[in-house]
Amino acid sequence: MSNIFGRRAVVIGAGFSGLPVAAVLAKYFEQVVILERDQLDNHPASRVGTPQDRHPHLLLAGGLNALDEICPGYSNELESAGAVAISLWRDAHFERADIGVLPKRDFGTPVLLASRPLFEFVLRRKVLAIGNIELRTQCRVMSVLSFDGAVRGVRFESESHAVETLEADLVVDASGRARPTLELLDELDYDRPDNSEVGPDITYSTVVVKIPPQAAPHAQIVRTFANLPESGVNAAIGPIEGGESIAFIVTPVDVPRPNTWEAYLDLLRGLITPTLFNILRQAKTPKCIDHFGFPTSVWRHFEQMSRLPRGILPVGDSICRFNPTYGQGMSVAAQEARLLQDVLASATAEPDPVGAMQAEFLARVAAILQTPWDMSTNTDFAFPKTRGQRPENFADMQEFDAALFRAAVVDPVVQRAFVDVAQLLQPGSILQEPDIKERIAAASARVFA
């Protein structure tokens, strides 16, 4: 039986969500066309459509594993291009107000650090090497076309400003804001999905600097967490390609963002320890300070909808946009693409493979999103000014998280479980397994004895 689902799939967006999805779809469609609004350079470079790409990014182990399955050799090529490999937590210095510094135990968990443009450029080069994938840049999708409740293609403005249509059996919305999908629902008089929203209202302030070798003896990556609930200010620094380091400060809405190097250092001086201040005060004044505002994390619950036009598939930020402070977005997008790969394989025997794939993907995607969503939003909710509906058992969850970190200091088994969850290698439910809960309770008993 042929595994070809249709003649053409269109992917809206050539970012970190659209690229791995295109690679997966190439095995099941005669042609995959990626429509990208930006002009893309033939080298790593920031672009207009991703203003956050000037700020820190990392690939968690769960995301790196997924991309290596979809595009074999990706991690090797990324490292060859200059990405810096570290091992968590051997190479990480993480500071919290409640427990101090987490132990630097080596769990052999790989993480790659680089600039966002390098992550994306290497992936784009891998994906476009696949023969039946075509990338068209400077193309603005105007609408998704449908007939009788099913997607038939897209209408877009091309590079020459001509309005064109492209027929498609499947349209993947990797646009980031889900506008094409939501406008299609409006046109067909379908309900929009319910949203879960959590509003940290933060600003990233990022610098790229050269750090003298003797300036950071602690580790390759240093992270100082906020002193919650009193203050939401937190910061970090880590290496990227070219022998440079990228540092950021996250400030809540009631703290002025630093617009000068002196103000930047002053904010670092006010953290729970002087570690990052002592590192960055030895750097030369950076060329600029880039800012990026992030008001709200949003989960659009497409998985809960009773009906959706056949042949439309939102992915990545179009479904769920995470607070970038926690570095989860790219890795979640990669895991969604791997899920799609599994779903496509199982749908080949179905009478309507496109419809079956769409339904199964949306039924299973929440299992990928739940752990990173819970980890990031529960931490955001610890800051009193964060907007959104806190869980009814939020106080209990905070107590559990505090106990978890106390246990991670003294018990390597607990720390390993936490690392696996944070790196998206295991679901958050493993922290509720009897053995882990017993170890957490035992550690707390020793602390308060």
Side-chain angles (χ1 to χ4, degrees):
M1 180 179 295
S2 172
N3 66 347
I4 298 298
F5 285 25
R7 190 167 70 88
R8 180 184 293 123
V10 169
V11 178
I12 304 172
F16 225 83
S17 299
L19 289 170
V21 164
V24 166
L25 292 174
K27 301 176 184 177
Y28 296 91
F29 290 83
E30 294 178 15
Q31 182 189 38
V32 178
V33 177
I34 308 172
L35 298 177
E36 168 55 47
R37 187 168 184 166
D38 285 345
Q39 172 63 46
L40 300 179
D41 296 313
N42 194 29
H43 57 86
S46 293
R47 55 193 181 94
V48 175
T50 54
Q52 72 276 20
D53 70 6
R54 297 167 180 81
H55 301 270
H57 286 75
L58 77 161
L59 265 176
L60 304 175
L64 192 60
N65 291 348
L67 286 177
D68 273 335
E69 289 183 30
I70 295 166
C71 297
Y74 172 71
S75 60
N76 291 336
E77 291 189 26
L78 187 59
E79 195 168 354
S80 296
V84 180
I86 70 168
S87 178
L88 287 179
W89 288 39
R90 182 194 66 199
D91 301 324
H93 181 92
F94 282 10
E95 303 175 329
R96 287 175 56 100
D98 52 350
I99 58 169
V101 179
L102 280 163
K104 295 181 178 65
R105 301 184 177 110
D106 188 358
F107 298 114
T109 306
V111 173
L112 287 176
L113 304 177
S115 67
R116 166 65 182 264
L118 183 64
F119 279 125
E120 191 172 290
F121 173 75
V122 174
L123 181 59
R124 186 166 69 243
R125 185 172 59 190
K126 292 283 288 183
V127 171
L128 295 184
I130 300 172
N132 63 332
I133 295 179
E134 175 188 351
L135 171 64
R136 298 186 63 175
T137 60
Q138 295 181 279
C139 292
R140 181 178 66 87
V141 173
M142 302 167 66
S143 62
V144 178
L145 306 176
S146 67
F147 178 75
D148 198 22
V151 165
R152 291 290 180 262
V154 295
R155 180 181 291 110
F156 65 98
E157 183 182 21
S158 69
E159 181 180 2
S160 64
H161 303 294
V163 175
E164 301 182 25
T165 61
L166 194 62
E167 293 183 357
D169 303 287
L170 174 70
V171 173
V172 176
D173 183 354
S175 65
R177 300 300 177 104
R179 182 189 59 80
T181 301
L182 297 176
E183 290 183 355
L184 174 63
L185 295 177
D186 293 343
E187 179 185 330
L188 296 177
D189 201 26
Y190 284 22
D191 291 334
R192 287 192 172 200
D194 293 332
N195 292 347
S196 294
E197 298 187 2
V198 176
D201 293 312
I202 58 171
T203 295
Y204 262 82
S205 298
T206 296
V207 295
V208 175
V209 292
K210 289 271 190 179
I211 298 293
Q214 73 278 7
H218 309 83
Q220 287 186 281
I221 183 170
V222 178
R223 180 74 188 269
T224 303
F225 290 93
N227 186 22
L228 296 171
E230 288 78 12
S231 170
V233 181
N234 62 94
I237 189 170
I240 58 173
E241 69 273 14
E244 295 182 312
S245 294
I246 190 166
F248 71 85
I249 297 176
V250 176
T251 51
V253 68
D254 60 345
V255 175
R257 69 185 194 183
N259 292 313
T260 67
W261 187 230
E262 291 75 17
Y264 203 95
L265 292 175
D266 282 344
L267 276 175
L268 292 176
R269 191 183 284 110
L271 296 174
I272 58 171
T273 77
T275 305
L276 282 167
F277 170 76
N278 288 333
I279 293 172
L280 280 161
R281 68 184 177 87
Q282 300 181 60
K284 292 182 179 179
T285 302
K287 295 178 182 178
C288 65
I289 301 174
D290 287 311
H291 303 288
F292 177 70
F294 183 83
T296 310
S297 301
V298 180
W299 183 346
R300 301 178 182 91
H301 292 286
F302 289 104
E303 79 282 359
Q304 296 177 1
M305 295 182 66
S306 60
R307 62 174 183 166
L308 199 65
R310 177 192 176 278
I312 186 73
L313 191 70
V315 299
D317 282 4
S318 292
I319 301 180
C320 191
R321 189 178 188 216
F322 296 91
N323 181 342
T325 300
Y326 308 103
Q328 300 164 319
M330 294 196 309
S331 297
V332 171
Q335 291 189 325
E336 288 180 21
R338 182 172 58 187
L339 169 62
L340 182 61
Q341 180 173 259
D342 295 343
V343 167
L344 286 163
S346 65
T348 55
E350 297 292 334
D352 177 12
V354 170
M357 171 275 299
Q358 178 192 40
E360 187 177 355
F361 177 86
L362 291 174
R364 293 172 56 183
V365 73
I368 290 175
L369 302 174
Q370 195 67 60
T371 291
W373 178 263
D374 288 345
M375 292 187 71
S376 60
T377 58
N378 289 344
T379 303
D380 286 340
F381 277 140
F383 189 58
K385 295 184 180 180
T386 297
R387 295 176 289 106
Q389 183 63 47
R390 286 165 174 76
E392 291 183 2
N393 62 338
F394 181 64
D396 293 337
M397 295 166 67
Q398 283 189 298
E399 289 182 11
F400 178 81
D401 285 348
L404 170 65
F405 280 102
R406 287 195 299 267
V409 172
V410 298
D411 190 333
V413 174
V414 174
Q415 188 179 8
R416 177 57 187 264
F418 170 73
V419 168
D420 285 350
V421 172
Q423 291 294 307
L424 306 185
L425 295 168
Q426 294 287 348
S429 58
I430 70 165
L431 300 176
Q432 300 295 329
E433 291 181 355
D435 176 60
I436 298 299
K437 291 183 74 174
E438 289 175 8
R439 289 175 174 273
I440 293 172
S444 291
R446 290 198 295 271
V447 169
F448 295 112

